[in-house]
C-alpha cells in the first residue's frame, strides 16, 4: 500500500483519510505502507510543504515502512527510472512521438467544447515515425478496459473515449499518470486506494501497465468528502487541512477515529481504538457514496478522547496551547494534571480547555455583567469577608477541608450552598460557571483564593 501526496499545500483531510485507509489496509493484512512524494510539479512543490505533510502524518500516527527521509521516494529522484520505461514503450511500438503544437491542440479542444464533446487527440502523429516531441501512449482503437473496483464494482471505459495520452512532455518531464504506473510497479504495490476523482485516470494507467507487460494492482476508489451542502469539501466550508484541526486543538486519536468513520462503518460502533481499527477495517465495507463532514461529530469524538486520556498525557499535550495563549502553569508537581481533571468533562478541544481554564493561570480582568449586580452587593461583600477569614485559617486547604468551611458558614448564616458557591465562582473566575468550586479553590491555593475574594469584596463595597 502507498500514500502518494503532491506537496503543493497542507495535507487535506480527504488526503489524510486516503492515507489512513491505506495504512489500515496494510496493517490489517500485514503488508507494507509506503510514503511516496509526487513532486514533479516543480512550480508548486516545496520542501516546506513536504515537511508539513510528513508532520501531519506523524501527528496522526500513520507511520510508514518505506519512504522519506530515505532517498528514492520523491519522484524527482527517480527520473532515470521513468526514462528507462519510456524507452521500453517506444522500442516496443507502444508509444510514439508527437510534435503537434500546443496552440493547435488547444483550438481543437475548444472546438470539441463548442460541440459539447469530450476532446480526444486525433492520433495524427501515430504513423509519422517522429524521433522528437512529446511521447504518447498508443491506445487500442477498439475494445474497452474494465476497472474492477473494490468499492464501485466493475466500471467499463470504451477505448474510443480515451486518447493517446502523453507519457513524457516535450521538455522531457514525465506526466503524473506515467510516473504513478512506474512507481507502483517498481515499489511492488498490490493495492491502490485513492479518491474517486482518480477513477477516470485508472483505465489509462491500466493500459500503460499492460503495455509494459506488468501485473495490474487492484484498485479501490474512495468517495469524496462532502460539505453540509453535499458539494466537495473545500475552504468555503471552513477548516479542511489536518494542520488547521491540529491547531484548533482536536486530538489526533479523535481525528483518526472520525476519518475512519467517514465512509466506513462497523455496525453502530462510533468510538474505535487504533487497535480496533486495524483489526476491523475492511475496504469492502467502505461505502460508494459521498460522506458528509460533520464538525459537531468530530468535536464530540474529540471530547470523548479528552475524557479518556490519562491526566498526565492530557496535561503534556495542553502545554503548547497554554504557551500559545501566553499562560504559564505552576511548577508544582501534579498541579496541571489536577487542572485538566477539572476541565476535561466540558472541553471538546485543547483550545477550548485553555479558554475554559484561563482563570487558573490569571486573575479575572472583570466580572460577568449579568450576574454581578446580584452577587456583588453589600451582603455579598460581607459574605466574601467571612469566607476569606475562614479560608485563610484553613491550613489543610484541600477540596474536603474547603467544603467543611463552606458547610459551617452556610449553617451559621442560614444559607444554601449555592448562595456561597455562585458568589465564590464569580469572585475567583469572573463568571458563575466553573468546574466544582472546591476543587477549583484547592488548585488555586489558599493565598490566591483569599486574594481574589478580597478583590471581589472591594468591588462589591465600591458598588455601594
Amino acid at each position: 500500500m502507498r500514500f502518494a501526496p503532491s506537496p503543493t499545500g497542507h495535507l487535506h483531510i480527504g488526503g489524510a483519510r486516503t492515507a489512513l485507509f491505506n495504512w489500515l489496509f496494510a496493517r490489517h493484512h500485514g503488508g507494507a505502507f509506503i510514503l511516496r512524494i509526487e513532486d514533479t510539479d516543480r512550480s508548486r512543490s516545496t520542501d516546506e510543504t513536504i515537511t508539513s505533510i510528513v508532520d501531519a502524518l506523524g501527528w496522526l500516527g500513520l507511520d510508514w515502512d518505506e519512504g522519506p527521509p530515505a532517498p528514492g521516494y520523491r519522484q524527482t529522484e527517480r527520473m532515470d527510472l521513468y526514462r528507462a520505461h519510456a524507452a521500453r514503450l517506444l522500442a516496443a511500438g507502444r508509444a510514439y512521438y508527437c510534435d503537434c503544437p500546443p496552440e493547435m491542440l488547444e483550438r481543437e479542444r475548444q472546438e470539441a467544447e463548442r460541440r459539447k464533446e469530450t476532446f480526444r487527440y486525433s492520433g495524427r502523429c501515430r504513423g509519422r515515425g517522429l524521433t522528437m516531441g512529446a511521447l504518447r501512449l498508443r491506445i487500442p482503437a477498439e475494445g474497452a478496459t474494465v476497472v474492477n473496483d473494490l468499492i464501485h464494482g466493475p466500471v467499463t471505459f470504451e477505448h474510443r473515449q480515451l486518447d493517446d495520452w502523453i507519457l513524457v512532455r516535450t521538455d522531457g518531464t514525465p506526466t503524473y499518470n506515467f510516473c504513478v504506473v512506474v512507481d507502483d510497479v517498481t515499489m511492488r504495490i498490490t493495492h491502490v486506494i485513492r479518491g474517486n476523482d482518480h477513477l477516470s485516470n485508472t483505465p489509462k494507467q491500466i493500459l500503460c501497465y499492460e503495455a509494459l507487460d506488468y501485473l495490474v494492482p487492484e484498485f479501490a476508489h474512495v468517495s469524496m468528502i462532502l460539505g453540509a451542502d453535499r458539494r466537495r469539501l473545500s475552504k468555503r466550508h471552513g477548516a479542511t487541512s489536518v494542520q488547521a484541526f491540529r491547531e484548533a486543538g482536536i486530538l489526533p486519536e479523535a481525528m483518526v477515529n472520525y476519518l475512519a468513520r467517514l465512509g466506513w462503518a462497523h455496525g453502530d460502533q462510533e468510538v474505535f481504538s487504533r487497535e480496533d481499527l486495524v483489526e476491523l477495517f475492511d475496504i469492502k465495507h467502505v461505502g460508494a457514496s459521498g460522506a458528509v463532514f460533520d464538525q459537531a461529530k468530530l468535536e464530540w469524538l474529540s471530547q470523548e478522547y479528552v475524557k479518556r486520556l490519562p491526566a498526565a498525557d492530557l496535561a503534556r499535550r495542553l502545554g503548547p496551547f497554554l504557551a500559545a495563549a501566553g499562560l504559564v502553569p505552576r511548577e508544582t508537581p501534579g498541579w496541571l494534571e489536577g487542572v485538566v481533571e477539572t476541565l476535561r468533562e466540558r472541553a471538546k478541544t485543547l483550545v477550548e480547555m485553555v479558554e475554559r481554564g484561563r482563570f487558573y493561570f490569571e486573575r479575572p480582568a472583570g466580572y460577568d455583567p449579568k450576574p454581578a449586580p446580584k452577587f456583588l452587593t453589600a451582603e455579598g461583600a460581607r459574605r466574601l469577608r467571612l469566607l476569606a477569614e475562614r479560608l485563610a485559617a484553613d491550613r489543610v486547604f484541600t477540596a474536603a477541608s474547603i467544603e467543611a468551611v463552606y458547610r459551617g458558614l452556610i449553617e451559621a448564616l442560614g444559607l444554601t450552598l449555592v448562595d456561597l458557591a455562585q458568589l465564590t465562582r464569580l469572585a475567583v473566575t469572573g463568571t458563575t460557571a466553573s468546574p466544582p468550586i472546591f476543587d477549583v479553590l484547592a488548585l488555586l491555593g489558599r493565598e490566591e483564593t483569599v486574594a481574589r475574594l478580597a478583590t471581589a469584596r472591594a468591588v462589591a463595597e465600591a458598588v455601594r
Side-chain angles (χ1 to χ4, degrees):
M1 305 302 297
R2 51 74 162 177
F3 177 57
S6 297
T8 57
H10 293 305
L11 181 61
H12 187 276
I13 59 168
R17 185 186 62 166
T18 298
L20 173 61
F21 282 4
N22 278 278
W23 186 88
L24 289 172
F25 190 96
R27 295 292 176 260
H28 179 82
H29 292 284
F33 177 61
I34 297 173
L35 175 61
R36 185 173 75 222
I37 305 298
E38 297 184 342
D39 61 343
T40 51
D41 185 349
R42 305 222 181 155
S43 64
R44 300 174 62 206
S45 300
T46 67
D47 288 342
E48 289 78 12
T49 52
I50 293 174
T51 299
S52 172
I53 290 170
V54 168
D55 286 348
L57 292 173
W59 179 71
L60 292 169
L62 304 183
D63 56 323
W64 49 92
D65 304 292
E66 300 177 31
Y73 292 92
R74 293 176 61 163
Q75 288 182 333
T76 50
E77 301 170 340
R78 300 167 62 81
M79 290 299 171
D80 289 344
L81 196 60
Y82 306 137
R83 281 191 283 268
H85 280 77
R88 280 181 53 187
L89 289 170
L90 186 63
R94 303 304 297 268
Y96 62 92
Y97 283 113
C98 167
D99 66 357
C100 293
E103 298 81 7
M104 181 182 72
L105 296 175
E106 181 58 29
R107 285 197 303 272
E108 292 179 356
R109 181 177 289 105
Q110 292 176 0
E111 290 172 3
E113 288 179 358
R114 281 195 293 271
R115 296 193 302 269
K116 296 183 179 180
E117 298 175 359
T118 301
F119 172 71
R120 184 175 185 271
Y121 174 62
S122 65
R124 67 167 53 83
C125 292
R126 272 189 167 214
R128 295 178 61 195
L130 299 173
T131 57
M132 295 179 62
L135 188 66
R136 290 183 179 272
L137 183 69
R138 196 183 299 271
I139 300 292
E142 304 295 331
T145 292
V146 178
V147 179
N148 290 304
D149 193 271
L150 296 175
I151 295 174
H152 299 275
V155 184
T156 301
F157 294 86
E158 299 291 336
H159 290 164
R160 58 184 173 79
Q161 298 175 321
L162 308 176
D163 65 357
D164 293 352
W165 55 278
I166 294 175
L167 301 165
V168 182
R169 300 178 184 89
T170 305
D171 64 4
T173 59
T175 60
Y176 163 79
N177 281 307
F178 183 47
C179 292
V180 165
V181 170
V182 175
D183 289 340
D184 284 347
V185 165
T186 55
M187 291 181 180
R188 304 180 305 282
I189 302 300
T190 60
H191 294 74
V192 175
I193 301 175
R194 58 189 181 186
N196 65 9
D197 53 331
H198 289 284
L199 182 56
S200 60
N201 291 325
T202 306
K204 300 177 182 180
Q205 294 171 8
I206 288 176
L207 288 167
C208 191
Y209 282 109
E210 293 173 347
L212 289 165
D213 198 25
Y214 285 136
L215 290 175
V216 178
E218 293 194 66
F219 290 94
H221 291 89
V222 182
S223 65
M224 295 293 98
I225 298 178
L226 310 177
D229 57 1
R230 303 200 68 82
R231 297 171 66 185
R232 184 172 178 175
L233 191 69
S234 67
K235 290 181 180 179
R236 68 176 176 274
H237 297 107
T240 59
S241 73
V242 171
Q243 180 178 347
F245 288 105
R246 181 181 184 178
E247 292 173 351
I250 295 292
L251 293 181
E253 294 89 344
M255 195 81 241
V256 166
N257 193 150
Y258 184 69
L259 290 176
R261 289 285 287 110
L262 272 179
W264 173 81
H266 180 73
D268 295 328
Q269 187 173 343
E270 294 287 354
V271 181
F272 296 83
S273 68
R274 192 171 297 258
E275 293 73 22
D276 288 339
L277 292 173
V278 170
E279 178 185 352
L280 299 171
F281 183 78
D282 187 337
I283 195 66
K284 295 178 182 178
H285 295 159
V286 173
S289 58
V292 176
F293 184 82
D294 185 341
Q295 176 77 21
K297 187 64 169 292
L298 172 60
E299 291 179 352
W300 174 83
L301 271 173
S302 187
Q303 186 169 26
E304 287 298 305
Y305 282 96
V306 165
K307 292 177 182 178
R308 298 176 186 208
L309 278 179
D313 189 5
L314 193 56
R316 176 184 59 80
R317 299 190 196 199
L318 192 66
F321 293 90
L322 291 171
L327 303 176
V328 180
R330 298 181 189 179
E331 295 182 359
T332 307
W335 183 80
L336 188 55
E337 288 87 336
V339 167
V340 300
E341 283 287 11
T342 68
L343 298 170
R344 66 162 80 229
E345 288 297 321
R346 295 186 179 185
K348 298 185 288 293
T349 69
L350 296 176
V351 168
E352 186 177 351
M353 181 174 283
V354 168
E355 289 308 309
R356 286 182 177 273
R358 182 175 286 272
F359 65 84
Y360 280 119
F361 306 88
E362 60 185 21
R363 295 180 181 180
Y367 302 101
D368 187 339
K370 187 173 181 180
K374 175 182 177 182
F375 292 103
L376 299 182
T377 61
E379 177 58 23
R382 184 175 79 90
R383 294 174 184 179
L384 287 169
R385 176 178 59 79
L386 294 172
L387 272 173
E389 290 173 354
R390 296 199 178 201
L391 289 172
D394 180 7
R395 295 301 164 187
V396 180
F397 219 75
T398 63
S401 67
I402 293 167
E403 181 176 1
V405 168
Y406 273 73
R407 297 289 180 190
L409 186 56
I410 63 175
E411 183 177 353
L413 297 179
L415 301 173
T416 64
L417 181 58
V418 70
D419 294 328
L420 289 185
Q422 291 297 80
L423 172 62
T424 305
R425 284 191 173 92
L426 186 66
V428 300
T429 73
T431 74
T432 52
S434 80
I437 191 59
F438 305 135
D439 293 327
V440 168
L441 299 187
L443 286 163
L444 287 175
R446 182 176 60 252
E447 290 184 8
E448 181 65 19
T449 295
V450 171
R452 293 190 187 192
L453 294 178
T455 299
R457 174 188 168 193
V459 171
E461 288 175 341
V463 170
R464 288 188 303 180

